[in-house]
Amino acid sequence: MNGELKETKTSKTFPIIGMHCASCAKLIERQLLKTEGVNTATVNYGSEQAIIDYDANIATDEMLSNAVKSAGYKAIISERLASSSNHSEAVNAKSADEINKFDANALKDEEKKKELEELKLKVIVSAILSIIIFIGSFPNWFSGIFKVVSLGPIYDILSNNYYLLLLTSLVQFWAGSKFYKATWSGLRNRTASMDTLITVGTSAAYIYSLLVTVLPEVVERLGMPMTMYFDTAAVIITLILLGRYLESRAKAHTSDAIKKLMGLQAKTARVKRDGVEVDIPIEQVVAGDVIRVRPGEKIPVDGKIVEGISSVDESMITGESIPVEKRVGDVVIGSTINKHGTFLFTATKVGSDTVLAGIIKMVGSAQSSRAPIQRLADSVSSYFVPAVLMISVATFVVWFLFAGFGVGFGAMIAVLVIACPCALGLATPTAIMVGVGRAAEHGILIKNAESLEIANKVSKIVFDKTGTLTEGKPIITDVISTQTASVRYQNPFQIAASLEAGSEHPLAEAFVNKAKTEGMQLLPISNFMAITGYGIEGSVNKKKFALGSRSLLEKERISLERFEYDIDRLEREGKTVVFLTSAKKLLGIIAIQDILKTSVESTIAGLKRKGIDVWMITGDNEKTARALAEKAGIANVMAKVLPDQKAEKVNELKIQSLTTSNKHQNVVAFVGDGVNDAPALATADVGIAMSTGSDVAIETAGITLLNKNLETVLSALELSKKTLNVIRQNLVWAFGYNVILIPVAMGVLYPIWKITLSPEIAAFAMAASSISVVGNSLRLKRVRI
């Protein structure tokens, strides 16, 4: 129909400023989900990011921003101009710094910096005022000291109730203004947060003290004590602000990995324009530009070398310290460092399309995603604040009836302040952020938090053979002619190489390379066809030939009886044997060998020490597969598996009967690199792709290894284990803190030991709980993997 817009489903990630606890994130989620066109919304308190799936034809940036604003927070929804299609705007920008102003993350950092400075000012001012209020509130303690130093008149002013009211009002309504704003926003949206508890608790103390100051007769007539709580209100707000300031500073370090990656980007590029080499801002580089890189310089963007030879340090991307030799035709990655030679390359990917930009995006998305273990904390947090409000009222009523107003009022405020959903909200996301960032530093890209968590539970791991366990650079080792005098084709390898020249099979390159090395001319092939699971076929001078596995001969009913000895010898050496046939006759036997990667044996041994069952999957026959597996130290082999059967085999492993020793988990990981590995990577509980493989495999996998070192698999599993350990520690602390200290604040120890928890101590404990969770998560930055 004319004018009807086609649904455009897309996703967007953007920062949010102003969240203080998990309840804030829940409120923002609710408001985003109410927005027309938004299908799903996830807000992560730890990373302060929102991830939404929405229809771009319905939901606009303005609508999303307004939804967040209606919840009382600020969304930063912006895109870097240099990454957009509007190249002219980027080119017209005055400098790279000016362009960076359009980067949402840069804007977020700027906003967070302003927020931190404002918070710092409020902490300093409220701390000074709170000390004065505290001194003025206890004349029995301090009046004598002031008189000794001849400052008695000054203390009379400090201890004046109206003076204390003035100072406390500044702390309550200026320093604590955000608590009131957040509480009002929550009430408008029928929800409550940590700010609600702080507002109710401190306001109760402030209002009661106000009544004692302004209407003392009324308070006395009601039989209420003439106790002042100005110091309680001021000190609580100061301590909580101090806790938030320290927490914000600590949380800033959880995103160090992203900042470090962004700092790797080159600022300028030396580009050939109109025959002249000129230095231009990186944002002005376009695909197709020819760029010169000199020794010691960063490679500006991704591209392909067209002139020159050099070695490139790719450690910041892959984690491998040894420089990689680069020649004409080789791909170079933006932000890596040219070590020695000078070369020219053509830019192929710029802006948001570069490898580094993709890594930054993936790391950011993973840091903002939710792990399954977080669901319990989220569920508890959603009921936590209302439950605490009810508990605090019940606490006041009970103690008011049995011990009087003073005990009940203090206990009520202590309960309101001690409760801390903040620690619960931070327990998982802060650890995920640090863990994912730490992984990126070691060349491990984790797509989402779920993959990181599940990797800790892997009980079986399946390795694809070619390109994963092996170097992926097979060579021809043996060519055996089986022709008789009646057959005119004397060189079976020439025909085989000519057939393979049109094939996309991983082994094809070995045939073509050997033909080139020997100066062999390839023959023209017609009617070329790939036969899945069997091999390939084509015609030379109208005569049909086929090249393939033993299955091909079985299909053609060609006997191998005369050559079984030679075939058996080759297969026991771990070589793949293929056969050239024509007119149901065997013309030649060709053996190919792909050597194991140097890191395979140590990787397999490490996995076994972890108690993980290791499997190898390959299309090779049983003998060849077993020979290679034995060298690698792998006992479990799935041989003669067609490409489209890999996913099925992985699924079989997943549903196998669980052993008694492992009855609680049967998590299967698959490691592969090819296009035909994508279904298996998706089927496995954890898909691990080698970055040397296809884009499809990398897109499908939950974890991508940026280097060729297979030991990185061990590193990924170890990091998952350590991250989950930290998350569990955080959750135990967060839950334990509330389970133990809320009853103490309620006064359960008072009847026996006369122990109560003052509201000020409760505020200190609440702030300390959040800081301790963030600090524990930051330990992951130092762990060895």
Side-chain angles (χ1 to χ4, degrees):
M1 288 187 292
N2 292 335
E4 185 176 334
L5 289 174
K6 185 179 180 181
E7 185 178 10
T8 308
K9 290 184 178 179
T10 187
S11 63
K12 184 184 284 288
T13 301
F14 53 87
I16 293 176
I17 302 295
M19 288 191 289
H20 301 304
C21 66
S23 300
C24 303
K26 283 291 182 185
L27 173 57
I28 298 169
E29 274 184 15
R30 189 188 307 170
Q31 294 303 106
L32 284 170
L33 287 170
K34 288 180 183 178
T35 306
E36 189 179 2
V38 174
N39 301 317
T40 62
T42 301
V43 179
N44 189 307
Y45 167 47
S47 64
E48 299 177 313
Q49 299 267 358
I51 305 175
I52 63 167
D53 290 319
Y54 68 108
D55 185 345
N57 286 328
I58 300 175
T60 63
D61 286 355
E62 185 178 2
M63 291 168 63
L64 298 173
S65 182
N66 288 337
V68 175
K69 188 177 180 181
S70 69
Y73 306 91
K74 182 177 181 180
I76 301 177
I77 305 177
S78 176
E79 297 292 338
R80 179 178 290 188
L81 288 181
S83 301
S84 70
S85 57
N86 193 347
H87 179 66
S88 61
E89 288 185 44
V91 173
N92 291 331
K94 292 180 181 178
S95 67
D97 290 335
E98 184 171 339
I99 291 170
N100 283 336
K101 289 180 182 178
F102 294 95
D103 188 320
N105 285 312
L107 288 172
K108 175 191 172 184
D109 288 341
E110 191 176 330
E111 289 283 345
K112 290 295 291 181
K113 187 177 180 181
K114 289 179 182 176
E115 186 180 59
L116 205 58
E117 288 299 319
E118 180 185 344
L119 192 54
K120 182 179 179 181
L121 175 64
K122 287 186 175 182
V123 167
I124 293 171
V125 173
S126 61
I128 294 170
L129 295 177
S130 294
I131 291 171
I132 296 172
I133 294 166
F134 184 81
I135 291 172
S137 297
F138 295 94
N140 293 336
W141 296 357
F142 298 104
S143 61
I145 298 172
F146 274 76
K147 287 176 182 178
V148 167
V149 294
S150 302
L151 293 175
I154 293 177
Y155 190 80
D156 291 339
I157 296 172
L158 293 181
S159 59
N160 181 279
N161 285 355
Y162 284 95
Y163 185 73
L164 293 175
L165 172 62
L166 173 63
L167 296 184
T168 306
S169 297
L170 287 173
V171 177
Q172 188 76 31
F173 300 110
W174 173 71
S177 59
K178 285 198 173 182
F179 300 134
Y180 284 94
K181 289 177 183 177
T183 300
W184 172 242
S185 174
L187 291 174
R188 285 191 293 112
N189 293 284
R190 299 178 183 178
T191 188
S193 66
M194 183 64 211
D195 294 303
T196 309
L197 300 179
I198 296 166
T199 301
V200 172
T202 58
S203 294
Y206 175 84
I207 292 170
Y208 187 82
S209 302
L210 173 67
L211 291 175
V212 171
T213 302
V214 179
L215 301 170
E217 303 86 1
V218 174
V219 175
E220 196 169 9
R221 194 178 306 128
L222 292 172
M224 309 298 283
M226 301 297 289
T227 309
M228 304 291 286
Y229 293 96
F230 283 134
D231 61 301
T232 299
V235 171
I236 286 173
I237 286 177
T238 300
L239 287 173
I240 291 171
L241 288 176
L242 175 62
R244 286 192 176 175
Y245 174 72
L246 296 174
E247 178 191 317
S248 294
R249 288 194 60 178
K251 277 176 67 179
H253 291 294
T254 62
S255 58
D256 281 351
I258 287 282
K259 293 174 184 175
K260 187 175 179 182
L261 287 170
M262 294 180 73
L264 295 175
Q265 295 172 320
K267 301 296 185 289
T268 61
R270 192 170 185 81
V271 178
K272 278 187 132 182
R273 293 273 173 89
D274 300 322
V276 179
E277 291 184 3
V278 293
D279 291 320
I280 63 172
I282 188 70
E283 289 79 12
Q284 295 181 18
V285 176
V286 295
D289 276 340
V290 176
I291 303 170
R292 180 176 294 280
V293 184
R294 292 164 293 191
E297 290 184 336
K298 283 185 179 180
I299 298 170
V301 295
D302 298 357
K304 186 175 287 189
I305 295 179
V306 293
E307 181 184 311
I309 299 173
S310 186
S311 59
V312 175
D313 178 359
E314 296 182 340
S315 59
M316 65 281 295
I317 301 293
T318 65
E320 291 186 344
S321 57
I322 301 174
V324 181
E325 295 296 324
K326 299 288 183 179
R327 300 177 179 274
V328 173
D330 286 344
V331 171
V332 289
I333 302 171
S335 303
T336 55
I337 299 174
N338 180 32
K339 298 295 287 183
H340 303 297
T342 297
F343 61 86
L344 292 173
F345 76 97
T346 301
T348 56
K349 294 180 179 179
V350 300
S352 61
D353 296 327
T354 63
V355 168
L356 181 63
I359 291 172
I360 291 172
K361 183 179 179 182
M362 184 178 285
V363 171
S365 295
Q367 289 181 332
S368 300
S369 62
R370 277 196 185 132
I373 197 172
Q374 190 174 343
R375 291 170 188 157
L376 176 60
D378 288 345
S379 178
V380 170
S381 296
S382 62
Y383 298 103
F384 190 84
V385 174
V388 169
L389 287 169
M390 290 187 286
I391 290 171
S392 67
V393 172
T395 299
F396 172 75
V397 171
V398 170
W399 284 114
F400 178 73
L401 294 175
F402 291 98
F405 179 86
V407 176
F409 194 68
M412 179 190 74
I413 296 174
V415 168
L416 288 169
V417 175
I418 198 74
C420 185
C422 302
L424 279 175
L426 289 168
T428 301
T430 52
I432 292 293
M433 288 180 70
V434 180
V436 168
R438 182 74 169 147
E441 291 173 5
H442 284 75
I444 304 166
L445 283 188
I446 298 170
K447 183 177 287 186
N448 51 50
E450 185 175 4
S451 297
L452 181 64
E453 178 178 336
I454 296 174
N456 176 59
K457 304 173 184 176
V458 169
S459 58
K460 295 185 179 74
I461 188 165
V462 184
F463 288 92
D464 177 52
K465 189 201 81 173
T466 306
T468 302
L469 291 175
T470 64
E471 291 288 352
K473 296 179 180 179
I475 57 173
I476 305 298
T477 58
D478 302 84
V479 178
I480 301 173
S481 175
T482 61
Q483 299 176 78
T484 60
S486 61
V487 180
R488 286 179 289 173
Y489 293 96
Q490 298 299 315
N491 193 337
F493 182 76
Q494 184 179 24
I495 299 169
S498 301
L499 286 170
E500 288 286 9
S503 171
E504 296 180 355
H505 193 277
L507 299 179
E509 190 177 353
F511 286 83
V512 177
N513 287 341
K514 182 175 175 63
K516 286 180 180 178
T517 302
E518 296 184 359
M520 189 178 295
Q521 184 177 358
L522 297 179
L523 305 171
I525 301 292
S526 60
N527 302 321
F528 177 84
M529 181 184 298
I531 312 167
T532 304
Y534 295 100
I536 56 177
E537 64 178 34
S539 299
V540 177
N541 295 328
K542 299 182 180 180
K543 187 171 183 65
K544 186 176 178 181
F545 294 90
L547 180 71
S549 62
R550 187 185 288 262
S551 299
L552 174 68
L553 275 69
E554 292 172 356
K555 178 185 175 186
E556 297 292 328
R557 296 182 180 177
I558 298 174
S559 174
L560 289 174
E561 188 176 350
R562 289 174 50 214
F563 309 102
E564 284 293 358
Y565 176 80
D566 289 324
I567 296 169
D568 183 66
R569 173 181 57 82
L570 295 171
E571 289 177 344
R572 289 188 183 281
E573 292 173 359
K575 298 173 182 178
T576 300
V577 181
V578 295
F579 306 92
L580 180 70
T581 68
S582 179
K584 296 190 180 296
K585 291 182 180 179
L586 182 64
L587 304 183
I589 300 171
I590 302 170
I592 311 125
Q593 189 168 40
D594 192 1
I595 61 172
L596 288 170
K597 291 178 178 176
T598 54
S599 56
V600 168
E601 292 180 49
S602 58
T603 301
I604 303 305
L607 291 169
K608 287 180 177 178
R609 284 195 297 272
K610 288 178 175 288
I612 297 173
D613 293 333
V614 184
W615 293 70
M616 184 182 83
I617 191 167
T618 177
D620 290 342
N621 64 59
E622 193 75 24
K623 287 181 185 176
T624 302
R626 287 284 176 192
L628 189 77
E630 189 175 341
K631 290 181 182 178
I634 300 173
N636 307 303
V637 177
M638 290 180 279
K640 297 186 72 174
V641 179
L642 300 178
D644 57 355
Q645 295 176 335
K646 289 181 180 180
E648 183 183 332
K649 292 295 183 182
V650 169
N651 199 49
E652 286 177 8
L653 279 181
K654 287 173 65 176
I655 61 177
Q656 276 182 358
S657 298
L658 304 179
T659 62
T660 305
S661 61
N662 200 26
K663 61 184 178 181
H664 295 300
Q665 64 175 24
N666 186 39
V667 178
V668 178
F670 183 89
V671 187
D673 71 331
V675 173
N676 58 33
D677 292 329
L681 288 165
T683 302
D685 297 300
V686 182
I688 303 175
M690 310 296 290
S691 67
T692 51
S694 71
D695 291 341
V696 176
I698 294 170
E699 183 65 29
T700 308
I703 298 174
T704 300
L705 309 181
L706 294 178
N707 54 51
K708 297 178 182 179
N709 187 353
L710 214 58
E711 288 183 342
T712 314
V713 173
L714 282 171
S715 297
L717 299 181
E718 185 64 21
L719 182 67
S720 170
K721 177 183 176 181
K722 290 184 176 178
T723 302
L724 264 292
N725 285 343
V726 167
I727 290 174
R728 291 188 187 103
Q729 291 164 9
N730 287 347
L731 288 173
V732 167
W733 165 252
F735 278 112
Y737 163 87
N738 286 294
V739 168
I740 294 171
L741 291 186
I742 288 179
V744 173
M746 291 170 64
V748 295
L749 301 180
Y750 186 77
I752 304 173
W753 293 292
K754 303 299 180 184
I755 295 175
T756 59
L757 198 64
S758 73
E760 293 88 347
I761 297 297
F764 176 80
M766 190 279 287
S769 69
S770 296
I771 297 168
S772 65
V773 164
V774 177
N776 191 44
S777 297
L778 288 173
R779 288 194 307 108
L780 286 168
K781 292 169 70 72
R782 299 188 299 273
V783 299
R784 295 183 62 183
I785 58 173

